[in-house]
Amino acid sequence: MHTPGAAPADTASSAVTATHCPYCALQCGMNLRPEPDGAGVAVEERADFPVNRGALCGKGRTAPSVLSSRVRLTQPLVRTHAGRLEPATWEEALDAVAEGLARTRRSHGADAVGVFGGGGLTNEKAYALGKFARVALRTSQIDYNGRFCMSSAAAAHQRAFGLDRGLPFPLEDIPRTGCVILVGSNPAETMPPALRFFRELRENGGTLIVVDPRRTRTAEQADLHLAPRPGTDLALALGLLHLVVAGGHTDEEFIAERTTGWEEARAGAMAHWPELVERITGVPVPKLREAVRMFCEPSSAMVLTARGPEQQSKGTDTVGAWINLCLATGRAGRPLSGYGCLTGQGNGQGGREHGQKADQLPGYRKLTDPAARAHVAGVWGIDPDDLPGPGRSAYELLDALGSEVKALLLMGSNPVVSAPRAAHVEERIRSLDFLAVADVVLSETAALADVVLPVTQWAEETGTTTNLEGRVLLRRQALTAPPGVRSDLEVLHGLAARLGMPKAFPTAPEEVFEELRRASAGGPADYSGISYARIEAEQGVFWPCPADSRADSPADSPSGEADRPEPHPGTPRLFLDRFATEDGRARFVPVTHRDAAEVPDAEYPLLLTTGRVVAQYQSGAQTRRVEELNEAAPGPFVELHPRLAARIGVADGALLAVTSRRGRAVAPARITDTIRADTVFMPFHWPGEGRANTLTNPALDPTSRMPEFKVCAVRVEPA
């Protein structure tokens, strides 16, 4: 893949750089080789990396296209008095940002300044951004778009196991288990190289159950497809647990020795008898029974969830119900068994571990924990009392823009397209006194900014990410960024200097990572034993990985030298000996079904669910600039069942209007019998009149503060 407009980091060298894809949480390994003409880079397979073994989807293969100067930002932009974004020098742009943030802080207080980050930022940048918000700006108002990714699963993980890591085992364990229930996930479209793990599962004699209201390309691979009504995954999980109990399939020894709270959780499940669950979900009782048989017969099994059950106003309880199913059957804390979450964004895991999330400090420490505050403040060289407390969650922060929050620094996110109730969020962003955006491209959100800062991309910078397995990876710089582009770390350093603290914000990624190691030491997500050299030598290191400790002091050693233990090996598999709770036991959490925040009625009789297509990624800000991907997926569409299409009189390809209580979207109809007749589907990658998130409901989960992207009431009609 030839990429013009970017030069190799060392133009005299033709060495291959081993790195990772910039998109989803698989973080597939790839090699980058400079083109002979020195004006671009080619993607090559990297077969030695165990996650993808060389396989890449179309997004990975074409990733270098966005490096081209033709499609990306290469100079700062500042909005003039005439209202236009015009080129400016870096000094002018950074001065304007620093003054805009400082002016707001002087006039309205520190919490009138907000910071919004992204799940695609490296660990170093996520860490530095969280530190910048709390140390340089002294604001509590920081969150990131990863809140929209797996926050419900994270909250359920914490509640049940005492620790959140997307997968508590490596992907390589999936083909060796007996059965996988895949809930609300479509890896054939969202992370295609991962589909081979499920194919290998079936080749090895295991079974795959897919839970999805659509018969997706993934569901077509399944031994059993359950198609519940959107918003009823919680009832489905409770119904399966009811049948597990009624059929005598519980693992009483595991429950007694390694869990607490079973009686209360059991009582909640027994209130959801199969016929009731069929009425709620639309899944026939025989299919429920078959799912229980397939899950309980083998000696090992897993449940994996994704955005389907998680992006709901009851997402934490829904995931909790699936965890209860695993615990009741002894499918957790054992080899080849467990519950896991398929993280979506490239660094969605690491992004929240190190300080972008409103309530967390580096190392996955709680911001309200005095010991955590003291440790991190010590690393940062500040008084713990100077650390702000928890701030607003992502949607609540966006909703407060222009009122309580007057200025915003945004890095690596495009909420004008990706946020729920997007038209309202766009209006809130437009009402800000000041907006600064650091991004690779002029996204729909960046186009509204007062200052736009062009920053480096994955192949132009070094840094770490943490994939969905909890494997910490290293991307090495392969290219020199175009003139006029700086890294996010340089941006934060420049702003901090203007705010009076340059030394606290280094620009070298490895120096930042060394500080991150110290800040995370002793925390739940302990990276202190991980180094750049070790990551490269070991194909990534799984956290937690504490630093080495000396077994004896030199004075106690006959040789005068300490006996050094082996380095901590990292932790590919969690919970095999104990869970991360105080007593080492997993916690059942009693849950019960409740309706979605919106249910169909006479005015809005249908359900809308949203998702992705294989050729585009998230808000599409980058992938919509790649010709090959646009040819494969040129624009939005509305998927609906033939019976619904006949009832409203719409033909395939005709424009269809979808209306919710929040707005109206228009896109071509795509008629298919792979979707429920009471449901329509829209992908969310596009802006404009086909913007799916114009329609979606910002109703929040009370624990995770996740918006209800996956279900809302709508009506459809020919446009």
Side-chain angles (χ1 to χ4, degrees):
M1 173 83 205
H2 177 71
T3 304
D10 178 4
T11 54
S13 172
S14 60
V16 168
T17 302
T19 189
H20 296 273
C21 177
Y23 291 116
C24 82
L26 285 182
Q27 288 295 280
C28 290
M30 60 169 62
N31 289 325
L32 296 181
R33 182 184 295 278
E35 293 281 12
D37 59 8
V41 67
V43 169
E44 297 180 343
E45 290 187 359
R46 182 180 164 192
D48 64 323
F49 187 62
V51 170
N52 62 309
R53 301 179 198 163
L56 293 169
C57 72
K59 295 186 291 291
R61 287 188 294 99
T62 61
S65 296
V66 188
L67 298 167
S68 170
S69 298
R70 295 196 304 264
V71 300
R72 50 97 60 86
L73 295 164
T74 57
Q75 56 187 335
L77 304 173
V78 174
R79 196 168 297 278
T80 66
H81 292 298
R84 294 187 300 272
L85 284 172
E86 298 286 355
T89 68
W90 267 99
E91 296 306 306
E92 291 168 340
L94 290 173
D95 286 347
V97 175
E99 173 54 27
L101 301 178
R103 182 175 61 247
T104 301
R105 192 171 57 177
R106 288 193 302 269
S107 300
H108 303 286
D111 277 357
V113 179
V115 176
F116 199 86
L121 300 181
T122 63
N123 290 318
E124 291 80 0
K125 293 189 287 187
Y127 170 83
L129 186 62
K131 179 183 176 182
F132 180 81
R134 295 180 173 107
V135 175
L137 297 177
R138 298 290 175 91
T139 181
S140 68
Q141 300 304 302
I142 175 173
D143 212 85
Y144 82 127
N145 62 15
R147 175 80 67 169
F148 300 155
C149 179
M150 58 171 293
S151 57
S152 293
H157 261 129
Q158 292 278 9
R159 205 162 64 173
F161 305 136
L163 181 69
D164 159 43
R165 197 179 82 187
L167 290 180
F169 41 74
L171 285 163
E172 67 188 38
D173 284 2
I174 291 174
R176 300 189 292 141
T177 192
C179 177
V180 170
I181 302 180
L182 189 59
V183 189
S185 178
N186 182 17
E189 302 263 359
T190 59
M191 45 181 65
L195 195 62
R196 68 174 175 81
F197 293 105
F198 301 101
R199 285 198 299 264
E200 291 174 7
L201 164 73
R202 299 185 69 209
E203 291 167 1
N204 292 340
T207 54
L208 175 63
I209 301 169
V210 170
V211 178
D212 199 301
R214 304 164 62 224
R215 192 172 73 248
T216 62
R217 290 170 54 193
T218 304
E220 289 175 350
Q221 305 288 320
D223 297 280
L224 179 65
H225 174 212
L226 308 180
R229 186 174 293 113
T232 64
D233 308 271
L234 175 53
L236 178 63
L238 288 163
L240 296 180
L241 183 52
H242 178 111
L243 288 170
V244 163
V245 175
H249 300 302
T250 55
D251 187 331
E252 297 297 330
E253 181 180 353
F254 178 88
I255 291 170
E257 293 181 355
R258 300 200 60 190
T259 73
T260 61
W262 167 233
E263 291 304 319
E264 295 84 356
R266 179 184 182 277
M270 297 315 288
H272 295 77
W273 60 93
E275 292 75 16
L276 172 63
V277 171
E278 179 178 327
R279 289 200 297 273
I280 294 171
T281 66
V283 178
V285 171
K287 284 197 169 187
L288 298 175
R289 296 188 185 280
E290 177 65 4
V292 169
R293 183 194 67 77
M294 293 169 62
F295 187 68
C296 293
E297 272 189 355
S299 60
S300 59
M302 299 174 178
V303 172
L304 305 176
T305 68
R307 306 302 79 75
E310 297 163 17
Q311 288 181 327
Q312 298 184 30
S313 59
K314 53 183 182 294
T316 303
D317 283 356
T318 301
V319 173
W322 290 103
I323 291 176
N324 287 348
L325 178 66
C326 291
L327 294 175
T329 54
R331 267 60 164 138
R334 286 176 169 169
L336 306 181
S337 289
Y339 163 78
C341 165
L342 297 176
T343 310
Q345 293 190 81
N347 198 33
Q349 181 75 49
R352 70 179 178 282
E353 291 169 2
H354 299 300
Q356 284 189 104
K357 199 159 171 276
D359 56 352
Q360 288 177 189
L361 288 169
Y364 224 136
R365 288 180 159 92
K366 294 181 180 178
L367 190 51
T368 54
D369 178 1
R373 293 171 65 88
H375 174 84
V376 174
V379 174
W380 289 350
I382 63 172
D383 190 312
D385 292 338
D386 289 338
L387 280 174
R392 294 175 172 88
S393 71
Y395 179 77
E396 291 167 305
L397 174 55
L398 295 172
D399 190 41
L401 299 181
S403 53
E404 290 91 345
V405 178
K406 306 288 188 180
L408 183 69
L409 172 64
L410 186 147
M411 283 187 165
S413 187
N414 188 19
V416 165
V417 178
S418 63
R421 197 185 174 195
H424 171 74
V425 168
E426 180 178 346
E427 184 273 328
R428 291 289 83 212
I429 289 173
R430 289 180 181 274
S431 72
L432 282 164
D433 292 348
F434 181 80
L435 172 64
V437 174
D439 210 333
V440 171
V441 298
L442 190 67
S443 69
E444 287 73 22
T445 305
L448 304 179
D450 297 285
V451 180
V452 182
L453 304 173
V455 292
T456 52
Q457 301 185 54
W458 57 289
E460 300 163 348
E461 59 189 11
T462 294
T464 61
T465 62
T466 306
N467 81 344
L468 76 173
E469 306 166 296
R471 188 193 302 252
V472 185
L473 304 167
L474 180 65
R475 296 179 188 159
R476 283 287 190 189
Q477 181 184 359
L479 301 170
T480 299
V485 175
R486 296 185 182 180
S487 74
D488 295 275
L489 295 178
E490 290 173 321
V491 167
L492 294 175
H493 175 86
L495 293 177
R498 286 161 173 79
L499 296 172
M501 49 184 63
K503 293 183 179 179
F505 292 88
T507 61
E510 192 164 8
E511 184 178 350
V512 177
F513 188 77
E514 290 301 308
E515 184 180 312
L516 181 158
R517 293 174 64 190
R518 298 196 303 275
S520 74
D526 191 335
Y527 282 34
S528 60
I530 304 174
S531 66
Y532 278 21
R534 186 172 174 187
I535 294 170
E536 286 186 304
E538 301 179 22
Q539 297 280 34
V541 181
F542 292 84
W543 71 262
C545 183
D548 300 346
S549 59
R550 296 173 75 92
D552 304 290
S553 69
D556 296 330
S557 174
S559 65
E561 296 182 0
D563 295 326
R564 295 183 182 274
E566 291 294 319
H568 191 284
T571 315
R573 295 169 182 86
L574 296 169
F575 313 139
L576 295 182
D577 299 317
R578 68 188 311 274
F579 294 96
T581 56
E582 289 185 2
D583 60 6
R585 292 170 174 258
R587 305 184 188 98
F588 281 98
V589 177
V591 294
T592 187
H593 174 71
R594 58 187 185 273
D595 285 335
E598 274 186 359
V599 295
D601 56 19
E603 188 176 3
Y604 301 99
L606 300 169
L607 293 168
L608 168 72
T609 191
T610 63
R612 288 169 46 187
V613 297
V614 68
Q616 301 289 352
Y617 180 72
Q618 302 299 76
S619 75
Q622 295 185 44
T623 52
R624 285 187 275 112
R625 288 166 167 80
V626 179
E627 183 178 352
E628 180 180 329
L629 300 179
N630 281 333
E631 289 176 356
F637 57 87
V638 183
E639 194 174 275
L640 72 164
H641 194 275
R643 290 203 300 272
L644 175 58
R647 189 166 76 240
I648 65 174
V650 65
D652 193 70
L655 288 180
L656 189 64
V658 185
T659 306
S660 76
R661 290 177 173 85
R662 288 152 295 282
R664 180 175 185 264
V666 176
R670 183 174 293 183
I671 300 172
T672 175
D673 63 1
T674 62
I675 191 169
R676 293 176 56 96
D678 59 2
T679 301
V680 295
F681 166 84
M682 290 187 72
F684 60 82
H685 309 291
W686 289 274
E689 66 174 5
R691 181 174 59 184
N693 278 321
T694 296
L695 309 167
T696 49
N697 192 350
L700 300 180
D701 180 287
T703 303
S704 68
R705 315 308 289 170
M706 168 73 84
E708 192 152 61
F709 286 99
K710 286 300 181 188
V711 53
C712 68
V714 298
R715 66 172 182 268
V716 298
E717 56 205 349

